[in-house]
Amino acid sequence: MYAPLQKKENKSRGVANSMPKNKSVAKQGVRFIDNRPKIQIESDLKQLASQRENLHSFRLSGKKNKLGNNVNTTFNINSGTKLIRPDSITFKFHPEGLVQCKNKMLASYLKGLKYFEDRNYMVFKGESEIDHVGWKAHIGAAKNEGLDIAKAVSFLRDQKIGHKFDISDNDAGAVNKFLTVYPPADEADWEMVIHQLETIMKKFDGTEIDGDMRVKSSRARQDENVDDYGQVYMRHGQNTMLKEDNVGGIIEKSGKQWGYDVYKSSEEEVIKFDKPLLGTDGILFFPKTDTQPQSLNPNTVYMAILYGGKIVPDRRETPNPAEAELPPGVNEYGKNLRPGEYWEGFNFNPT
C-alpha cells in the first residue's frame, strides 16, 4: 500500500487547470533614467506611441515539411501591407526606438557554444527536419535561473536536438517559455527528452507557461516522489507557415472577402472551422471574428495548419488545436492513470 503523499508547497508551480498568470515582466518594457524636460519627454513618448501603432515586423520560418514544400515566410506589416519574402522561424514585435533588455551573461555563454542569435533568442539548429506542424516542449525560468538552466540542459546539444533560449532580461523576473525544444529526429526519443528535462527541473522553481499542456513522461510515473515533477510543458502547433502551394488539389479559390482570397474544399471537406479560410500571397489563415482583420497578426487571425488531412486554425490559447496524440511515452500531467500508478494528490491502494 502506498503511503499518502505530502504535497510540497511551491508557489511558482501551478496545477494543470490553474488560471494563467501574467507573462514575464522581463518582456514588458525597459527601465531608463531621463533628464530631459518633461515637455520634451511627453513629445517623444507621443511620437514613439505613433511608431508602435504603425510599425510591425514579423518573421516566421522553418524547413521543408513532409509535404515536400518550403513554407517559410517573413513578412512586414505597416497598416496592412502585403506579405513580402521567405526567411526565418519565430515572430517578434519590433517597435522602432525601443531597446530590448537582454540577459547578456546568458547570451555570451551560448555564443561561446556556437549558438546563433535570432532577435531575442539564441538558437541551436540541431539535426532533425522541422515539420510544418508538430509538438514542442517548453520550460519557464524563474527570476535569475536562466543561465543555470541553460548549463544544466547540455544533453540537448549532445543529442543534436534543436532548441532555443529566450535571452530576455532574467534579472527583472521570470521568463515564460525560456527554453523551446523542437522535435528530435525520432519521435520515440520524446520520452527520453521529457524525462531528462523534468529530472533536471526538479532543482529549479521554473514558472507556469500560458497556453501549454503540463506533461510528464512515462518513466516519471513510477517514481514515488511524484511531486518533484511537472515543470515541463508541451504545445502542438505551427512551426512554419502553411501556403496554398502546400495544399494544392484539396482546396481552391472561391472568391474574395475584405480583399483577401477565399478558399473552399475542392472535393472532400478538409476545412474545419466556422470562419472562412483566407489567403494573401498564398499564406493561409482564418479570421478570429466576423469583422475584417486590421492586420495579419496573432491578435486578429489564427494561422492555418494542416494536420491529419484537415486544415484547422492554430488557436494559440489552447495547447493542442489539431487534437494530435501526444508522443509515445509522454502523458498529460494528472491524466491517463493505469492501475497501480498515481499522481500528486492521489493515493492508490492496489488490491
Side-chain angles (χ1 to χ4, degrees):
M1 181 182 300
Y2 295 107
L5 296 172
Q6 297 296 320
K7 188 172 182 181
K8 296 191 298 186
E9 180 98 4
N10 190 337
K11 295 182 180 179
S12 68
R13 187 182 306 176
V15 296
N17 295 318
S18 63
M19 293 295 290
K21 295 182 179 178
N22 291 333
K23 291 190 180 293
S24 165
V25 296
K27 297 184 179 181
Q28 295 177 355
V30 297
R31 299 176 182 174
F32 58 88
I33 298 176
D34 202 319
N35 295 320
R36 291 174 296 169
K38 180 178 179 182
I39 295 177
Q40 178 63 39
I41 294 174
E42 290 179 348
S43 174
D44 291 347
L45 290 176
K46 286 180 181 179
Q47 182 179 3
L48 180 57
S50 175
Q51 292 170 343
R52 288 179 65 99
E53 192 79 17
N54 294 309
L55 180 62
H56 296 68
S57 174
F58 293 81
R59 299 169 63 85
L60 299 97
S61 84
K63 304 177 182 178
K64 291 186 178 180
N65 61 16
K66 290 182 178 179
L67 297 173
N69 298 297
N70 192 315
V71 291
N72 307 345
T73 302
T74 291
F75 54 97
N76 296 317
I77 302 167
N78 188 348
S79 301
T81 54
K82 294 292 186 180
L83 305 180
I84 298 180
R85 62 184 178 81
D87 201 60
S88 173
I89 198 165
T90 52
F91 69 87
K92 170 90 179 141
F93 175 60
H94 292 283
E96 185 176 290
L98 287 182
V99 178
Q100 182 179 5
C101 289
K102 292 184 179 180
N103 187 332
K104 293 183 179 179
M105 288 183 63
L106 175 62
S108 176
Y109 169 74
L110 294 173
K111 282 181 181 178
L113 295 172
K114 308 304 182 184
Y115 286 70
F116 66 89
E117 189 168 356
D118 182 10
R119 294 165 299 282
N120 63 314
Y121 297 102
M122 295 298 293
V123 182
F124 182 85
K125 190 173 184 298
E127 292 184 344
S128 60
E129 292 289 322
I130 303 299
D131 294 337
H132 154 61
V133 65
W135 286 101
K136 295 185 287 287
H138 294 114
I139 284 175
K143 182 177 179 180
N144 294 323
E145 285 187 337
L147 180 58
D148 289 334
I149 292 176
K151 291 178 178 179
V153 297
S154 59
F155 79 94
L156 294 171
R157 295 191 301 274
D158 297 338
Q159 298 294 326
K160 304 295 191 295
I161 297 170
H163 59 283
K164 65 182 180 182
F165 294 99
D166 187 333
I167 55 173
S168 299
D169 183 11
N170 193 210
D171 291 337
V175 178
N176 194 291
K177 294 186 180 179
F178 167 71
L179 169 64
T180 298
V181 182
Y182 293 100
D186 186 347
E187 187 183 43
D189 289 337
W190 262 128
E191 180 183 9
M192 176 275 296
V193 171
I194 298 301
H195 187 56
Q196 289 267 47
L197 292 174
E198 62 192 353
T199 301
I200 290 168
M201 286 304 294
K202 289 194 294 183
K203 305 173 185 176
F204 299 96
D205 288 334
T207 188
E208 295 178 54
I209 297 181
D210 303 337
D212 273 28
M213 178 190 300
R214 196 176 175 197
V215 298
K216 184 178 292 186
S217 71
S218 291
R219 300 183 191 189
R221 291 166 66 130
Q222 285 122 49
D223 192 334
E224 292 185 3
N225 299 315
V226 68
D227 282 350
D228 290 340
Y229 299 101
Q231 295 211 67
V232 181
Y233 295 74
M234 294 190 80
R235 185 180 189 277
H236 186 273
Q238 171 189 280
N239 290 321
T240 59
M241 304 284 280
L242 183 64
K243 300 188 69 174
E244 179 185 0
D245 293 344
N246 307 129
V247 290
I250 65 173
I251 62 171
E252 59 187 33
K253 292 179 182 178
S254 63
K256 290 279 189 179
Q257 183 171 338
W258 303 317
Y260 298 113
D261 294 319
V262 179
Y263 294 86
K264 66 177 183 179
S265 302
S266 297
E267 296 180 2
E268 179 185 356
E269 187 62 36
V270 297
I271 301 171
K272 299 295 182 180
F273 195 48
D274 59 359
K275 301 292 187 293
L277 178 63
L278 305 178
T280 180
D281 287 357
I283 304 296
L284 302 178
F285 64 94
F286 294 96
K288 283 190 172 183
T289 67
D290 293 326
T291 59
Q292 178 179 357
Q294 295 302 308
S295 59
L296 191 60
N297 69 53
N299 295 322
T300 58
V301 304
Y302 293 120
M303 302 311 297
I305 54 176
L306 175 65
Y307 183 78
K310 306 298 181 184
I311 299 175
V312 299
D314 187 9
R315 301 187 305 277
R316 303 295 297 181
E317 65 273 15
T318 181
N320 190 8
E323 299 181 352
E325 290 187 5
L326 279 162
V330 180
N331 310 273
E332 185 174 356
Y333 191 88
K335 291 189 176 181
N336 304 322
L337 292 168
R338 294 192 293 269
E341 296 182 334
Y342 56 94
W343 296 96
E344 74 176 318
F346 294 89
N347 182 33
F348 286 82
N349 299 315
T351 58

